[in-house]
Amino acid sequence: MIDGKKVLFSGMQATGNLTLGNYLGALKNWVSLSDEYECFYSVVDMHSITIRQDPSEFRRRARNLLTLYIAAGLDPEKNCIYYQSHVSGHAELAWILNCFTYMGELNRMTQFKDKAAKHADNINAGLFTYPVLMAADILLYQADVVPVGVDQMQHLELTRNIAERFNNIYGEVFTVPEAYIGKVGAKIMSLQDPSKKMSKSDENPNASIYLMDDPDTIMRKCKRAVTDSEGCICYRDEQPGIKNLIDIYSACTGKTPQETVKEFEGKGYGELKPAVGEAVISVLRPLQEEFARLSKDKAYLDSMIKANAEKAGYYAAKTLRKVQRKVGFPDRIR
Ligand code: TRP
């Protein structure tokens, strides 16, 4: 608890470009969470170097991601938006937690197996202990809730096990985090294969609308979206492509899927697709403008980065000192 509010922590990697799915499904809905939770959104750059990165490109992406969060409406005075690498407590706690995590547990992590297969030439120890660093991220802030996708559930479960194991030995040190289940946003599917989620790592650029796509690109991708030959603008699972377009249109216009279906009654796909394109453009345009404006305001961004690194560092240090004391490290002489 911080100031009577529960703590929410989430981390995101600056690899890949954010998509409309990330925005409508998550980001957009996070804006209202700061009333209820003390929110920490970390750009987890330390996790990203488990895969080789080009340094200057990586630095640029990390800054863009942080900027985008603010552009999307997350107020950096209410939400702690910071770089993981700016708070040394992440690495320090991760080391301690490494000593409370078993090889067998890490060996079972499906994401490690997937990534090891994908990057067979660089199966480094960081890739293996990645979930422990993630546990440190979460436990360092005594987070109550963590909004994660299904792909991160196994890591969250491990985090809970580590926290409980530690607490069993040393008493109540860590808050045991739960997955955040709250108002979830629209689940946006790929425009090329509506059985898959829209993903920032899709190899097919037409499958995803990126937050920085220009209007022509957005329109083209919407017009090329895979549909079906039913010829009916109906909201049903049997027409996943059309259902997805209805979801996108509804999320962008604030309508319910039923209202959207009504609006397009008697119309064809040739009318729905450009309307979806326009709706997306009108949502992304202000976001892009704000991003461009903020990107130029170096002084403001830098001041937020500095203040939030200090804020995160303050809470991190509190937990870390407690943990260090519990495991028996010598007291610091002041
Ligand atoms: N591993 C997460 C991902 O790739 C990112 C992440 C790192 C994270 N630390 C976290 C997510 C802590 C939630 C909480 O998506």
Side-chain angles (χ1 to χ4, degrees):
M1 290 284 224
I2 295 178
D3 296 339
K5 283 189 201 167
K6 285 191 169 181
V7 176
L8 180 150
F9 185 97
S10 191
M12 52 268 168
Q13 298 210 42
T15 45
N17 292 321
L18 289 195
T19 70
L20 183 69
N22 298 123
Y23 181 67
L24 298 177
L27 207 45
K28 184 166 171 262
N29 309 290
W30 290 356
V31 175
S32 59
L33 291 179
S34 66
D35 295 333
E36 198 184 337
Y37 297 98
E38 187 71 33
C39 299
F40 291 83
Y41 297 112
S42 182
V43 175
V44 290
D45 45 4
M46 290 162 65
H47 277 99
S48 300
I49 63 164
T50 52
I51 311 285
R52 289 282 176 268
Q53 305 291 339
D54 172 71
S56 52
E57 168 73 6
F58 178 38
R59 200 179 343 264
R60 193 182 60 78
R61 277 179 181 279
R63 184 153 175 122
N64 282 351
L65 179 61
L66 191 138
T67 308
L68 198 57
Y69 271 71
I70 302 175
L74 291 176
D75 180 348
E77 308 214 24
K78 293 204 190 115
N79 300 273
C80 191
I81 302 175
Y82 74 99
Y83 298 114
Q84 184 187 31
S85 64
H86 283 187
V87 179
S88 61
H90 289 261
E92 293 178 77
L93 183 60
W95 172 254
I96 296 174
L97 298 183
N98 265 323
C99 304
F100 292 85
T101 308
Y102 298 111
M103 297 289 285
E105 289 178 303
L106 294 177
N107 265 323
R108 282 198 291 278
M109 296 292 124
T110 55
Q111 193 170 72
F112 169 69
K113 291 186 224 177
D114 293 347
K115 286 194 183 169
K118 212 170 143 196
H119 304 276
D121 55 336
N122 182 20
I123 306 177
N124 59 71
L127 197 62
F128 189 63
T129 58
Y130 175 115
V132 184
L133 178 58
M134 178 161 160
D137 298 342
I138 297 167
L139 301 180
L140 200 50
Y141 299 94
Q142 306 286 0
D144 296 278
V145 290
V146 182
V148 282
V150 279
D151 63 318
Q152 296 299 317
M153 275 314 247
Q154 200 185 25
H155 292 162
L156 184 60
E157 205 45 55
L158 176 70
T159 302
R160 291 167 53 85
N161 291 338
I162 297 172
E164 279 166 0
R165 181 173 305 144
F166 198 95
N167 287 351
N168 280 335
I169 306 173
Y170 299 104
E172 293 305 302
V173 177
F174 293 124
T175 302
V176 181
E178 314 239 347
Y180 171 79
I181 353 181
K183 203 182 101 211
V184 282
K187 189 169 178 207
I188 306 300
M189 312 305 279
S190 155
L191 295 177
Q192 291 298 313
D193 175 1
S195 68
K196 290 195 310 195
K197 239 177 87 171
M198 183 179 284
S199 161
K200 60 181 180 172
S201 48
D202 205 306
E203 316 85 58
N204 182 348
N206 287 322
S208 309
I209 294 174
Y210 298 106
L211 296 187
M212 291 299 144
D213 278 350
D214 59 50
D216 288 348
T217 307
I218 295 171
M219 192 50 94
R220 181 169 42 81
K221 288 179 177 176
C222 287
K223 286 187 178 165
R224 284 194 193 164
V226 168
T227 53
D228 53 58
S229 52
E230 300 273 327
C232 162
I233 300 179
C234 304
Y235 191 70
R236 51 195 205 115
D237 293 337
E238 291 75 15
Q239 293 177 256
I242 290 298
K243 185 165 186 260
N244 190 35
L245 290 177
I246 293 173
D247 277 331
I248 295 175
Y249 185 83
S250 306
C252 289
T253 56
K255 293 183 178 149
T256 64
Q258 291 67 33
E259 286 167 342
T260 299
V261 168
K262 234 183 142 115
E263 185 179 334
F264 288 94
E265 213 171 71
K267 295 188 177 155
Y269 297 174
E271 283 163 281
L272 176 66
K273 287 178 170 185
V276 173
E278 284 304 338
V280 173
I281 291 166
S282 62
V283 163
L284 294 190
R285 184 177 287 133
L287 179 70
Q288 294 175 357
E289 285 170 359
E290 183 59 7
F291 177 83
R293 191 190 67 75
L294 276 170
S295 298
K296 281 186 227 133
D297 198 347
K298 184 169 185 305
Y300 170 75
L301 279 180
D302 285 351
S303 75
M304 286 303 132
I305 289 170
K306 180 159 186 274
N308 277 329
E310 278 165 12
K311 178 175 168 185
Y314 169 81
Y315 291 107
K318 249 169 96 162
T319 302
L320 191 63
R321 296 293 169 257
K322 196 164 158 190
V323 171
Q324 289 170 331
R325 185 119 231 328
K326 291 287 183 183
V327 299
F329 289 172
D331 289 330
R332 287 174 191 235
I333 316 294
R334 290 168 205 268

